[in-house]
Amino acid sequence: MLILGIESSCDETAASVIQDDGTILSSVVYSQIKDHQKYGGVVPELAARKHLEVIPDVYQECINKANISHKDIDLIASTIGPGLLRGLIVGSVFAKSLALSLGKDFIGVNHLEGHVLTPRLTHQVKFPYLMLLVSGGHTSLVAVEGVGLYHVYGETIDDAVGEAFDKTAKLLGLTYPGGPSLEKIVQDTDLSSIEEPSWTLPCPMLHQNTLDFSFSGLKTAVRILIEREYKNTLSQTNKALISQKFQESVTTTLITKIAKACDRFINQFQTSPTIVIAGGVARNNMLREKLNIFCQQKNLQFFAPPHDLCSDNAVMIAWAGYERFRTFHKLSSFDIKPRPRWSLDTLTEETKGEIT
Ligand code: KG4
Ligand code: ZN
């Protein structure tokens, strides 16, 4: 079976063809980063117009790279939420039109479910497992019991961690997206001879019992630090130092919450969790390395998808569409609507038949 995935929920226009055994035949991602960079973040109207402009070419390139013909596709999966409404409309209408004109099956996919199920494609991870989903829009700890069965242990109560990276980069005068910029300045700067600073950055909500996160205070702490300690004038070295300490705070916070979530997982499933990460921030090397060490110390299995499958892509949408199809043997009707807000919890309620 060949599955086509289409993704357009934020600022990536993506298409992919995969086989039902998880083989990736093609994955094309048109990143709009350059179009949004000068605004310091994604502009929804601009994103939708760009999706509209590039989606036919992205699709055609994806078909060419997979070396198949349109008629070879069996199932078309497209993101219908959560995300930016107009972008979702562009991608889903394109996918539905294609399915209608080619006489193919269509399935609408939840973008978060795409991230959450990716490790099953990349590492054949078995249920249940514990997922840290960290992106520009989401920060969640999710126990994944099965397809459509997600227990959200904790979420951000304000900024997502990727958003905190982006806002901190802006404060430091670094380019959007913030995550790669912060990593790069640390990499490019020799901090070995720098003394430990007198200041520290907070690790938000570290000692509270909840598994929820909060990152807006960390960003504010960086702003106050720049104003008070550095009088709004930062050398390259000081920018790198703040970036390094910011990453350490974020990593410590995320790993401490994972450790707490492990206890809850063991209580719920009577087994130790396999730990997996996904989302754009899962590309962060410090997070990957420290999480790997944590899991080795705790004797837990740890899987991180390759970088290009952590950030937004259409492989994960094709895969999630296929996982749903093979689990529930159900397709979406053509009148299914884009859903800008669509939590994993609601998906579980739908799976259990609590919402019809
Ligand atoms: O999953 P994603 O591509 O898009 C969604 O938000 O759905 O995630 C984008 C986010 C941005 O906030 C970006 O700054 C962050 O992922 N990011 C990183 C890194 N690469 C991307 N954060 C930390 N370290 C990175 N290397
Ligand atoms: Zn995403």
Side-chain angles (χ1 to χ4, degrees):
M1 196 171 160
L2 290 183
I3 307 106
L4 169 73
I6 300 281
E7 157 64 29
S8 63
S9 65
C10 190
D11 60 342
E12 270 93 16
T13 320
S16 162
V17 175
I18 65 166
Q19 284 176 185
D20 54 1
D21 64 358
T23 308
I24 300 168
L25 298 188
S26 67
S27 173
V28 179
V29 180
Y30 176 89
S31 167
Q32 303 182 4
I33 281 177
K34 287 211 158 39
D35 301 288
H36 300 280
Q37 223 154 26
K38 58 176 172 289
Y39 304 104
V42 179
V43 182
E45 179 67 28
L46 207 70
R49 285 167 188 256
K50 203 71 195 176
H51 287 307
L52 203 57
E53 184 188 323
V54 303
I55 204 164
D57 288 346
V58 167
Y59 165 68
Q60 194 55 58
E61 189 184 336
C62 158
I63 294 295
N64 295 348
K65 283 195 170 150
N67 203 15
I68 60 162
S69 138
H70 309 269
K71 59 179 188 306
D72 299 329
I73 300 166
D74 297 293
L75 175 67
I76 299 179
S78 141
T79 307
I80 57 163
L84 301 172
L85 177 64
R86 279 168 277 187
L88 293 169
I89 291 175
V90 174
S92 59
V93 168
F94 183 85
K96 285 182 195 177
S97 311
L98 206 61
L100 267 171
S101 59
L102 297 173
K104 304 294 180 184
D105 292 338
F106 170 78
I107 191 157
V109 170
N110 178 301
H111 176 91
L112 302 176
E113 189 170 40
H115 281 303
V116 162
L117 296 176
T118 297
R120 290 179 42 79
L121 174 139
T122 55
H123 295 91
Q124 292 76 52
V125 178
K126 302 262 180 297
F127 297 122
Y129 53 88
L130 184 63
M131 150 76 56
L132 175 69
L133 174 56
V134 273
S135 71
H138 300 273
T139 306
S140 316
L141 266 166
V142 187
V144 184
E145 189 180 355
V147 178
L149 290 174
Y150 310 112
H151 307 269
V152 180
Y153 283 178
E155 279 183 299
T156 182
I157 57 167
D158 43 52
D159 290 356
V161 62
E163 203 177 343
F165 267 98
D166 296 338
K167 289 178 176 172
T168 299
K170 205 168 180 177
L171 289 169
L172 294 173
L174 304 174
T175 51
Y176 172 85
S181 301
L182 256 72
E183 258 197 331
K184 184 158 187 325
I185 196 167
V186 173
Q187 219 171 50
D188 293 349
T189 314
D190 181 11
L191 291 174
S192 58
S193 53
I194 302 295
E195 271 180 37
E196 205 40 39
S198 54
W199 49 263
T200 53
L201 289 176
C203 291
M205 289 173 79
L206 198 62
H207 300 298
Q208 296 179 19
N209 255 341
T210 167
L211 290 173
D212 285 336
F213 303 91
S214 162
F215 288 104
S216 71
L218 178 56
K219 166 206 68 192
T220 307
V222 172
R223 183 174 56 73
I224 293 171
L225 178 72
I226 296 171
E227 283 167 11
R228 297 211 180 135
E229 187 80 23
Y230 295 101
K231 313 285 179 234
N232 291 318
T233 310
L234 289 168
S235 63
Q236 154 107 4
T237 307
N238 287 333
K239 285 184 184 181
L241 186 61
I242 297 173
S243 299
Q244 172 79 351
K245 295 293 172 194
F246 173 86
Q247 290 190 91
E248 283 172 8
S249 281
V250 165
T251 309
T252 304
T253 305
L254 294 176
I255 294 180
T256 307
K257 295 284 179 181
I258 288 177
K260 288 183 183 168
C262 284
D263 296 339
R264 185 156 160 194
F265 187 99
I266 292 167
N267 242 333
Q268 184 170 4
F269 297 102
Q270 309 299 314
T271 180
S272 292
T274 295
I275 309 288
V276 295
I277 51 173
V281 182
R283 298 170 70 114
N284 186 270
N285 290 315
M286 187 190 285
L287 177 62
R288 290 168 89 100
E289 281 160 22
K290 291 204 174 167
L291 203 44
N292 198 13
I293 294 169
F294 165 83
C295 289
Q296 276 175 12
Q297 285 167 348
K298 299 277 177 193
N299 213 9
L300 301 172
Q301 276 203 304
F302 170 60
F303 297 108
H307 282 46
D308 57 338
L309 295 183
C310 283
S311 41
D312 289 351
N313 65 84
V315 173
M316 67 180 194
I317 303 304
W319 177 250
Y322 173 64
E323 286 250 50
R324 288 197 83 75
F325 178 73
R326 75 169 169 187
T327 308
F328 303 118
H329 308 287
K330 268 204 211 152
L331 296 167
S332 300
S333 72
F334 282 115
D335 63 2
I336 192 167
K337 292 179 187 63
R339 300 173 69 170
R341 290 178 176 274
W342 190 10
S343 73
L344 287 169
D345 285 331
T346 330
L347 213 60
T348 304
E349 287 161 18
E350 283 172 20
T351 306
K352 289 182 172 169
E354 287 161 17
I355 296 181
T356 48

